Amino acid sequence: MTDIRFAWSALGGDPALVSRITTVEREGALGARLPVRELARACVGACALAAAELAARRAGLAEVPAVRVDDGAVATAFTSERHLLVDGRPPLTFAPLSRFWRTADGWVRTHANYPHHRQRLLLALGLPQDAEPAAVEAALAERSALDVEEAVYAAGGLAVALRTPEEWGAHEQATAVAARPLVQSERPDEARARVLPALEGSPALPAAGLRVLDLTRVIAGPVATRTLALLGADVLRLDAPQLPELADQHADTGFGKRSALLDLAAGRTAFEELLAEADVVVTGYRPGGLDRFGLSPEALAERRPGLVVAQLSAWGGYGPWGGRRGFDSLVQVATGIAAVEGSARRPGALPAQALDHGTGYLLAGAVLRALTEQSAEGGSRVVRLSLARTAAWLTQGSGPGASEPGGAPGSAGTGAVPSSVPGAPYDGPEPWLGETDSGIGRLRYALPPVAFAGGPALWARPPGHWGADVARWA
């Protein structure tokens, strides 16, 4: 079941604490054939409970603050990139070559939002770099979907063939994904417990005083670090100068953070100085992509004992697709979601990039729970999540892996349950949108859905220009 109890148990939380959650359920929010609304509610609820738990630990409270999860706030936040306005201008979302295409025997979906991915897609198809969508359409119509998938991947691009749930279930990568828990957690050493100073004042910021290195891009990872920034962390996002981020995407997920440029090869000394004072490192590049810089989770924890390392990937760091790049839209296509949400005439999509957003909130929750555990037990922590494993949860319920804490999958755990109250049907995002001035213009944006009694309501700072800050701690 896509249930808060299961999400909380996957984070290793005490099942009794689920009783601290109240959900406001609104019909019409994130409507789909699959239980998207329930998954979104579960991910945000588990994250908010992890934040409240850490706040209680640091403030010495006898009881974990009450958590409130409103379907309206969750649905708006899960589509935050669509609601962003910069000086009244709507965001640029998918590029012209990022879409579904018919092939000789089915469908593929491509992702070419970044210039280098567009270049590699056209190279794989034998087309000039100024090719228009009509030329791509004609080239793809002559080839099989699987042939396109492999050829574009071999060229370093991104294209995935449409599969039904049954076809994905027979794939080796699906088997490898299903064998893993929703949240993988490891304790690689016995480093001394990190002493977190007591929280004082209001609002309660459970991540106050913590330093987070953000090595993520696109949506899921930046959503996780945006959430940690909301909760008081000093989040410093680092990007390679030669890989500029899409401006609207950066603005949407940049709330509360600072953004700096650092070449990890040429700036190794600068990175090591940052790492020496970091509490958390969050990575979102494909598994193995940062290893050549000595930035594997194991290497990071070895150089900085007591570190929490959170690793996000598209397909999981295992199986035949373990090293592949991927995005939410492509994972939906491979895992059968697009087939389920579509029709006989055309594939479909979820009402939000729910794999990205859901995994992002779960990743933030996993970091918060790791910090809570560390404060009592010590030890470095490595947590790993993947979009494909979140997709398996959405499509199959709790799925295989009945050893996850909190009871067998499908039972969603036992004991305490969250309370719920009915709310008015979801009739649009307006009640959950805010406006603020920033260095990049007047912003309209989605308000944070993570809420607990006494906790923060807004981020401490709006987003700024990509790469405009200095690569050092505040």
Side-chain angles (χ1 to χ4, degrees):
M1 296 173 64
T2 45
D3 183 281
I4 290 178
R5 290 173 293 168
F6 181 76
W8 180 242
S9 72
L11 295 179
D14 177 359
L17 293 180
V18 173
S19 65
R20 303 299 298 154
I21 300 176
T22 298
T23 64
V24 181
E25 300 185 4
R26 300 182 186 274
E27 290 299 323
L30 299 175
R33 292 172 183 163
L34 291 166
V36 179
R37 179 177 56 153
E38 291 78 6
L39 177 137
R41 182 193 299 148
C43 294
V44 171
C47 178
L49 186 55
E53 179 192 35
L54 182 58
R57 174 69 63 89
R58 294 188 63 184
L61 302 179
E63 188 174 45
V64 170
V67 168
R68 186 176 179 88
V69 185
D70 191 310
D71 282 351
V74 172
T76 303
F78 266 57
T79 50
S80 62
E81 65 274 10
R82 303 177 194 174
H83 302 308
L84 177 75
L85 294 179
V86 181
D87 287 334
R89 177 186 60 79
L92 300 174
T93 53
F94 286 104
L97 299 190
S98 295
R99 49 169 271 198
F100 284 109
W101 308 86
R102 272 199 176 276
T103 63
D105 61 349
W107 294 86
V108 295
R109 182 151 190 171
T110 56
H111 196 289
N113 284 7
Y114 290 101
H116 58 293
H117 290 154
R118 183 183 189 278
Q119 178 184 22
R120 293 165 186 173
L121 171 65
L122 294 173
L123 178 66
L125 299 179
L127 296 174
Q129 290 302 306
D130 59 354
E132 296 293 330
V136 176
E137 185 173 36
L140 291 172
E142 298 178 351
R143 302 173 68 165
S144 75
L146 290 178
D147 172 57
V148 172
E149 178 180 272
E150 289 304 317
V152 174
Y153 167 68
L158 292 149
V160 171
L162 178 73
R163 291 171 172 82
T164 65
E166 294 75 22
E167 289 169 336
W168 176 247
H171 196 284
E172 288 182 54
Q173 188 62 30
T175 302
V177 167
R180 266 71 178 185
L182 181 62
V183 178
Q184 292 181 260
S185 182
E186 304 164 16
R187 180 177 173 176
D189 59 38
E190 300 297 324
R192 182 178 302 175
R194 192 177 300 281
V195 177
L196 300 177
L199 288 182
E200 297 179 357
S202 180
L205 297 173
L210 296 171
R211 289 171 166 169
V212 178
L213 278 178
D214 179 0
L215 307 179
T216 70
R217 292 172 69 82
V218 196
I219 296 177
V223 162
T225 52
R226 181 181 69 185
T227 303
L228 295 174
L230 170 74
L231 299 170
D234 178 11
V235 178
L236 178 62
R237 173 167 166 167
L238 298 178
D239 283 286
Q242 70 273 20
L243 291 175
E245 183 59 284
L246 304 175
D248 291 340
Q249 196 161 260
H250 185 260
D252 175 53
T253 59
F255 283 85
K257 310 179 195 178
R258 291 177 298 115
S259 169
L261 304 182
L262 184 65
D263 185 317
L264 292 177
R268 183 61 178 268
T269 298
F271 179 84
E272 292 301 321
E273 291 174 352
L274 292 169
L275 177 63
E277 297 184 37
D279 301 290
V280 179
V281 176
V282 185
T283 69
Y285 292 79
R286 64 183 177 84
L290 297 176
D291 290 7
R292 67 185 186 277
F293 302 112
L295 303 184
S296 69
E298 295 77 12
L300 288 168
E302 183 177 352
R303 298 204 301 283
R304 174 67 166 152
L307 189 70
V308 174
V309 184
Q311 185 182 56
L312 171 77
S313 64
W315 308 104
Y318 39 76
W321 284 17
R324 291 198 178 194
R325 299 173 179 86
F327 294 94
D328 181 305
S329 58
L330 303 183
V331 176
Q332 288 190 40
V333 172
T335 59
I337 291 173
V340 170
E341 295 292 337
S343 66
R345 298 182 60 188
R346 185 175 179 83
L350 298 176
Q353 297 200 63
L355 306 180
D356 263 335
H357 287 273
T359 308
Y361 287 108
L362 279 178
L363 190 69
V367 168
L368 296 165
R369 286 246 59 253
L371 292 165
T372 297
E373 292 177 352
Q374 272 189 335
S375 65
E377 304 168 6
S380 302
R381 294 293 193 282
V382 176
V383 295
R384 293 183 170 93
L385 290 88
S386 74
L387 304 186
R389 184 60 183 85
T390 303
W393 182 33
L394 176 64
T395 56
Q396 303 166 21
S398 303
S403 61
E404 292 197 35
S411 72
T414 57
V417 297
S419 60
S420 64
V421 296
Y426 184 72
D427 192 30
E430 285 73 20
W432 299 281
L433 296 174
E435 292 194 10
T436 187
D437 290 318
S438 76
I440 58 178
R442 181 73 177 174
L443 302 179
R444 187 191 74 174
Y445 63 97
L447 298 173
V450 173
F452 61 92
L458 294 172
W459 290 276
R461 56 178 286 167
H465 289 284
W466 179 75
D469 296 296
V470 178
R472 63 167 178 252
W473 295 115

